[in-house]
């Protein structure tokens, strides 16, 4: 499945199934867009192509850029 499709389905589910507020959904949208761009730098466009090492390196990149632990936690949640 394409990352863009998976992201949109996830965001739709947050609203439909969990009833999250629009500000919360927009925060998830921004975080996921940032992660999608990071994956695109490595030519990853499919959900199935994402490896544990991709997530780990993204977390490390956030930490290297000085992101607070709470920010990193939110972005990977």
């Amino acid at each position: 499945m394409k990352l863009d499709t998976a992201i949109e389905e996830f965001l739709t589910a947050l609203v439909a199934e969990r009833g999250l507020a629009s500000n919360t959904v927009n925060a998830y949208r921004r975080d996921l867009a940032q992660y999608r761009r990071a994956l695109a730098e490595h030519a990853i466009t499919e959900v199935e192509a994402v490896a544990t090492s991709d997530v780990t390196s993204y977390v490390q990149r956030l930490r290297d850029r000085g992101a607070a632990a709470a920010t990193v936690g939110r972005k990977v949640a």
Side-chain angles (χ1 to χ4, degrees):
M1 176 184 289
K2 293 281 187 192
L3 284 169
D4 290 340
T5 302
I7 289 169
E8 286 309 313
E9 287 181 7
F10 174 71
L11 295 172
T12 299
L14 290 179
V15 174
E17 297 171 15
R18 294 180 61 193
L20 294 183
S22 61
N23 284 344
T24 302
V25 174
N26 287 334
Y28 276 110
R29 183 181 307 280
R30 283 189 302 275
D31 289 342
L32 288 166
Q34 182 182 22
Y35 185 51
R36 183 184 46 75
R37 286 190 301 272
L39 291 172
E41 291 174 8
H42 300 283
I44 298 171
T45 60
E46 301 282 336
V47 172
E48 297 80 9
V50 179
T52 302
S53 60
D54 297 313
V55 178
T56 303
S57 67
Y58 180 67
V59 168
Q60 189 59 51
R61 180 191 289 185
L62 292 171
R63 289 180 178 153
D64 291 347
R65 291 181 177 174
T71 300
V72 173
R74 187 194 77 234
K75 287 181 180 287
V76 298

